[in-house]
Amino acid sequence: MDKQAKKIHIQGLVQGVGFRPFVAEWATSHGLSGYVKNEGGMVTALLLGEDSATELFISELNRLDGKGDILPGARVDKIDELPMDEEDDRFLKESTGGFSIIESTKRADVIRVLPYDIATCDKCQKELFDPENRRYRHPFISCTSCGPRYTIMSEVPYDRKRTTMRDFPLCHNCEMEYEGKAKKRGSSPVRHYAQTICCPDCGPVLKSKGADGEYEGEEALLKAMELLKQGGILALKDVGGYHLCFDAYNKEAAKRLRRWKDRDNKPFAIMFKSIDEIKKYARVLKTEEKLLLSPAAPIVLLKKKSEAENGMPLPYEVMKDSLRVGAFLPSNPLQHLILSEISPLIMTSGNRGNETIITDDDEMISLMESGLPDMVLYHDRQILMGLDDSIYQVTEIPNSKEVVQLIRRARGLVPSTIWLNRELPRDSFGAGGDLKSVFAIGRKNAVYLSGHFGDLLEAVNQRKRSHAIDHMEGLFGIDPGQCFCDSHPGYVSATDAKNRSDAGGADLVKIQHHFAHILSVAAEHDIRGQVLGAAFDGTGYGDDGTIWGGEFLLCDLSAMTYERVGHLESIPIMGGDISSKDAAKTAYCLIRKSLTKEEQVDVAKVLGISEAEKSLMDKASEMGLNTVPSSSMGRLFDGAAAILGICKKNTYEGECPIMLQYAAESYDQDLHGACPKLTLPISTEEKAFV
C-alpha cells in the first residue's frame, strides 16, 4: 500500500510536557516517519505512512486528556489537518526516513496554550533523595513532567533558548539525555527534550547570604536549615518568587514577622512534608487530598482539628482565631529538601504589606537591613513572572456534593486557558479591579487570566502589573482591539485601560462593577438571554454615584443591558475607604436608622465608640459630611460581626465576615437550640430589599 503524507496541527497543553519526543517515539512505533515541531503555542506534525496507521495514531493522540499515565500533564483539545507547503515537500524529498524533532517556528495567528509551572513529580523526588543518582540533592531537578515553565518563559515557542535556562549551557551528560542518546532506566524521569534539564555540573547554583557570610551549593542549604532550626526567618527563592519561612512552632518568629509585615491577625499558610503530617492537624476530605497532591500543589483551606484531636496544636501566634489551616505540600526540589529536615514550616509570600511577591534577589537581600529576613537562600536562575501560591477551599453543602472554590488562581494554574462558549469579535483586554488585582487577555474563545497584583494604590504593584500585561500580550501574540474596565472613575485599573486604549487605538468599554460579576457567572455557565442576577460584595461604584454591593439586576445578556430592580437599603456610611476597616463605626451607621437615640447610646458603648466619637458621627451624618450611601452586603456583614461582639476591625480584607462565618460554623444547635429564622421585609415602593 502506498504511503500518504498528512500534516496536522495539535492544540492543547502540548508544550512543556515532553510532547514532541513522545510524538516522535509513538509515531515511530506506528511505523510512521516525518517530523514534529513547536509552532507558536501549539505543535505541528507531518506524518508519512499508511492511512490506517496515521488514523490510529491521531485517534490515540486525541485520547490524551491530561489525566492518564501515558503522558502525564499533556492534553489534546483539537487536531486539525493543514495543507502542506514548499518546506514540507522539501522535507519529504530530503528525508532518509525516520521521525525527527525539528526546529521550532513562530506563528502569530493561532490560539496559544502555554505550560504552567508543575510541582516536582514522584520520579524526580525519588532521584533527589537517591545517593547513587548524579542529581542527588540537586535543588533544580526536573524532567518533561515537572518543573518551572511559565515563570521562566521569555518567548514562544517553549524552548530552552526562550527561557531563563538559556543561561546554563548543558554539560555532556545532560546534553546526551536531552538529545535522547543516553541510556534510560524504565522508572527514570523522561528528559529527552526537557527544556529545564540540568544537574550539579551545569545547572543553577544555590547561594545564601546572612549575618555569617555567603555560601554556595550544599553548604548554603545546610546554613539555611541551621538557621530555621535556631528560630530564624529565612527568605527562600522558589519557582514563582520568594517565600518567608520559619518553624511553625516558633512563636517569637511569628510575632516578628507579623510586626514586619504589619499583619496582625491573618493566619499564615503552612507547608507540611506529607499528606500524613497534614492529617495530624486538619481534617482532609478526598477532594481536598486530590487538590493538595495535584500538579499545582496549591494551598487548601482545611478545617482545623480540635486540641482534643491533635495533641500538638499550632501556636495561636501562627493561627490566630482561624478555624481553617491553609495547608500545602512542597512543590519544588528545594522545598522538598528543606521540609525533609524540618516540618511544618510557615511559608508566606515574600513581600511587605499590600505589595506583590518579590522575585528580585537584590531587592530581597536589601531588606535584611530592615531587620528581616535573617538570611536569603537564592539561586542564579531568573524569574521572569512572579506568582503567588494558588488557593482552594472545599465547601460541604448539606444534602449536596462538595463544592470546590478557587480562591486565588496563581502558580500551577496561570496561564492555563479558560475556554468560552462563544468567540470574542476582537483580541481583548480586561483591566480587572484595584484590589486583589487580576487582568485578562483574550482571543476568539480563549481567555487567559494573570496572577494577583495586590492593591493597585501601591506604585510597585502598578509597575509589576504593567510589566506583566506587556509580557503576557507578547507571549500570546495578542494586540487588543478592545479594552474593558470598571466604570469607577477613580480606579487605577480603569485609568490604565484608558491609556492603553488611547495608545493602541482600541475601543474602551466601561462595565458597571456588579453587572460584570453577573456577566462572569453567565459566561461560566453559558447562560444567555434574560437573567435575574444577585451580586453581593463589599464595594462597587453605582450608576447613581453611591456605593453598591447588595444588588439584584435584571439583565439582558444579548443587548448587554441591565435594570437595577432591587438592592439592600442604602445606609449612609462614614469614612470612605476607612469604613471597610472599622466595622464598629460601620455598625453604628447601620443601627442609627433602626434604634431610638437612647438605644443608640447603649449600642455605641457596646461597640466601643466614645461619646465624643458618637457626637461627631451624628453631626457628620446629619450634614452629609464624609458619608456615602451604601447598599453593600460586605458592610452589612461587618456591622453584624461588630454588633455581635465577634470582630470589630478588619485588619485584613474580609476578617469580620470570616469571623462571623466561623462563629456560625461553630454554633452548637444541641446546646443552644435551633437558630430563629430571619425575616427580611421588602419595600416594593423604593425597589429596595431592606
Side-chain angles (χ1 to χ4, degrees):
M1 187 178 292
D2 292 337
K3 292 184 176 182
Q4 301 293 325
K6 179 176 286 191
K7 185 177 182 180
I8 59 173
H9 185 229
I10 309 166
Q11 292 181 310
L13 186 54
V14 291
Q15 290 193 13
V17 290
F19 192 77
R20 285 176 296 169
F22 169 77
V23 167
E25 292 174 13
W26 215 9
T28 301
S29 71
H30 282 68
L32 301 174
S33 58
Y35 71 73
V36 62
K37 67 175 179 177
N38 279 343
E39 189 172 26
M42 304 299 172
V43 166
T44 298
L46 181 66
L47 309 172
L48 180 63
E50 296 181 0
D51 283 345
S52 58
T54 300
E55 293 305 319
L56 177 61
F57 172 71
I58 292 174
S59 68
E60 290 176 344
L61 278 184
N62 269 315
R63 288 207 295 268
L64 294 175
D65 59 2
K67 301 175 182 178
D69 296 327
I70 298 176
L71 186 61
R75 189 190 73 247
V76 172
D77 297 326
K78 186 180 181 183
I79 298 179
D80 293 317
E81 185 171 352
L82 299 177
M84 289 189 290
D85 54 31
E86 292 180 2
E87 290 186 10
D88 298 323
D89 293 335
R90 186 164 53 251
F91 177 87
L92 291 173
K93 288 178 182 178
E94 297 174 357
S95 175
T96 56
F99 206 94
S100 306
I101 299 174
I102 67 172
E103 182 72 15
S104 301
T105 56
K106 296 183 179 181
R107 187 174 172 183
D109 60 331
V110 298
I111 295 176
R112 299 173 180 174
V113 179
L114 302 186
Y116 40 76
D117 305 290
I118 308 171
T120 308
C121 69
D122 292 341
K123 290 182 178 180
C124 281
Q125 287 183 50
K126 186 176 180 180
E127 286 192 350
L128 181 66
F129 292 102
D130 180 4
E132 301 300 318
N133 192 280
R134 74 184 189 92
R135 291 187 175 88
Y136 174 58
R137 295 181 67 80
H138 181 51
F140 311 100
I141 189 171
S142 67
C143 66
T144 58
S145 297
C146 67
R149 300 291 191 267
Y150 174 67
T151 51
I152 62 171
M153 288 179 64
S154 59
E155 296 179 80
V156 294
Y158 174 71
D159 286 310
R160 188 182 184 90
K161 65 183 179 182
R162 299 183 183 92
T163 73
T164 57
M165 290 301 294
R166 62 177 173 262
D167 298 331
F168 308 99
L170 295 178
C171 67
H172 174 72
N173 288 330
C174 283
E175 189 170 14
M176 293 290 286
E177 287 182 273
Y178 182 82
E179 293 178 355
K181 298 176 181 178
K183 291 183 179 180
K184 175 183 173 297
R185 298 176 183 174
S187 60
S188 299
V190 176
R191 296 196 174 94
H192 184 198
Y193 271 81
Q195 307 307 322
T196 55
I197 187 173
C198 61
C199 73
D201 294 330
C202 63
V205 177
L206 190 64
K207 303 177 182 182
S208 71
K209 186 166 186 176
D212 62 345
E214 301 180 34
Y215 299 90
E216 288 190 359
E218 182 71 11
E219 194 171 11
L221 178 59
L222 294 176
K223 285 289 182 181
M225 290 180 176
E226 182 182 347
L227 175 88
L228 290 171
K229 292 176 181 178
Q230 291 176 351
I233 296 177
L234 175 71
L236 175 64
K237 187 177 181 181
D238 288 310
V239 168
Y242 275 95
H243 281 102
L244 293 169
C245 57
F246 60 89
D247 182 348
Y249 281 95
N250 192 311
K251 299 178 183 180
E252 291 306 312
K255 291 177 183 177
R256 285 179 64 205
L257 190 56
R258 288 196 180 280
R259 288 193 297 269
W260 189 80
K261 288 176 73 84
D262 191 22
R263 181 172 172 165
D264 294 339
N265 296 324
K266 191 175 184 179
F268 289 120
I270 307 172
M271 183 172 285
F272 299 85
K273 64 182 178 183
S274 67
I275 280 286
D276 289 339
E277 187 178 41
I278 292 177
K279 289 178 179 179
K280 295 177 182 178
Y281 298 85
R283 188 196 63 169
V284 182
L285 302 171
K286 288 184 178 179
T287 304
E288 293 167 332
E289 183 169 343
K290 187 176 180 181
L291 288 170
L292 288 163
L293 293 170
S294 70
I299 296 170
V300 181
L301 305 181
L302 308 169
K303 287 191 175 180
K304 183 175 66 175
K305 284 187 174 180
S306 66
E307 291 190 20
E309 297 173 294
N310 174 22
M312 290 184 64
L314 293 161
Y316 176 78
E317 289 79 4
V318 166
M319 296 298 300
K320 290 293 183 169
D321 294 313
S322 178
L323 296 185
R324 289 185 180 264
V325 180
F328 60 141
L329 295 168
S331 63
N332 63 66
L334 190 51
Q335 291 176 351
H336 279 288
L337 288 169
I338 293 174
L339 270 291
S340 69
E341 294 288 333
I342 178 169
S343 181
L345 288 177
I346 299 305
M347 195 75 70
T348 188
S349 61
N351 61 300
R352 299 193 78 165
N354 294 317
E355 296 179 1
T356 55
I357 192 168
I358 293 174
T359 59
D360 183 76
D361 303 330
D362 291 337
E363 182 181 357
M364 180 55 79
I365 289 170
S366 69
L367 286 177
M368 288 197 293
E369 297 177 3
S370 69
L372 283 179
D374 300 314
M375 181 183 291
V376 179
L377 185 62
Y378 63 109
H379 51 78
D380 52 358
R381 182 179 66 205
Q382 186 184 2
I383 298 172
L384 294 181
M385 189 53 55
L387 285 177
D388 286 295
D389 301 296
S390 294
I391 304 176
Y392 282 94
Q393 177 173 301
V394 178
T395 301
E396 294 177 282
I397 298 178
N399 303 317
S400 183
K401 62 180 181 180
E402 298 164 359
V403 177
V404 178
Q405 298 171 283
L406 181 52
I407 307 297
R408 183 168 71 195
R409 184 185 180 91
R411 180 190 50 77
L413 299 177
V414 173
S416 56
T417 312
I418 298 173
W419 297 103
L420 303 178
N421 290 309
R422 64 198 81 178
E423 288 195 359
L424 297 165
R426 286 172 287 174
D427 285 2
S428 301
F429 168 74
D434 276 14
L435 289 176
K436 300 188 295 295
S437 178
V438 173
F439 66 83
I441 57 176
R443 166 175 289 170
K444 295 183 179 179
N445 66 327
V447 173
Y448 313 94
L449 290 177
S450 72
H452 285 234
F453 296 93
D455 187 347
L456 291 188
L457 289 178
E458 302 286 344
V460 63
N461 296 349
Q462 294 178 34
R463 291 195 299 271
K464 290 185 178 181
R465 175 181 177 272
S466 181
H467 166 71
I469 293 171
D470 295 339
H471 186 70
M472 279 190 71
E473 287 181 351
L475 284 178
F476 288 98
I478 287 178
D479 183 14
Q482 55 185 359
C483 297
F484 297 89
C485 68
D486 197 289
S487 60
H488 194 304
Y491 264 18
V492 173
S493 55
T495 301
D496 176 69
K498 183 181 186 305
N499 293 338
R500 288 178 178 275
S501 65
D502 289 344
D507 293 335
L508 181 66
V509 182
K510 295 184 177 182
I511 306 289
Q512 199 281 325
H513 191 91
H514 302 94
F515 185 40
H517 279 311
I518 295 167
L519 288 174
S520 68
V521 176
E524 181 181 355
H525 297 280
D526 195 25
I527 299 171
R528 311 190 185 204
Q530 277 201 333
V531 64
L532 176 63
F536 301 153
D537 69 355
T539 300
Y541 183 77
D543 293 339
D544 56 1
T546 67
I547 300 300
W548 290 6
E551 312 307 311
F552 292 85
L553 306 181
L554 182 60
C555 307
D556 187 331
L557 302 178
S558 299
M560 286 290 287
T561 59
Y562 63 91
E563 179 187 0
R564 189 190 191 202
V565 296
H567 58 88
L568 294 180
E569 183 179 7
S570 293
I571 303 294
I573 301 293
M574 286 172 242
D577 291 340
I578 297 176
S579 66
S580 65
K581 297 182 179 180
D582 195 335
K585 287 185 173 61
T586 295
Y588 181 69
C589 293
L590 291 172
I591 58 93
R592 283 186 82 253
K593 291 186 66 174
S594 305
L595 303 178
T596 65
K597 289 187 177 181
E598 292 75 15
E599 291 171 327
Q600 290 174 23
V601 172
D602 294 336
V603 173
K605 290 179 180 178
V606 172
L607 293 171
I609 297 173
S610 67
E611 290 188 18
E613 287 179 307
K614 177 184 177 301
S615 177
L616 185 62
M617 291 174 67
D618 288 340
K619 289 178 181 178
S621 181
E622 291 166 5
M623 299 175 66
L625 297 175
N626 196 28
T627 61
V628 180
S630 172
S631 58
S632 166
M633 182 67 80
R635 300 293 80 79
L636 180 61
F637 279 136
D638 285 348
I643 291 169
L644 293 170
I646 294 169
C647 189
K648 297 179 182 179
K649 297 280 185 182
N650 280 313
T651 65
Y652 61 90
E653 189 181 2
E655 180 178 0
C656 288
I658 289 171
M659 292 299 108
L660 186 63
Q661 175 187 332
Y662 288 161
E665 290 177 351
S666 303
Y667 184 82
D668 190 334
Q669 290 197 17
D670 293 334
L671 183 63
H672 301 286
C675 294
K677 290 184 178 180
L678 180 64
T679 302
L680 295 177
I682 297 177
S683 170
T684 55
E685 182 179 346
E686 297 181 6
K687 293 185 179 180
F689 295 90
V690 183

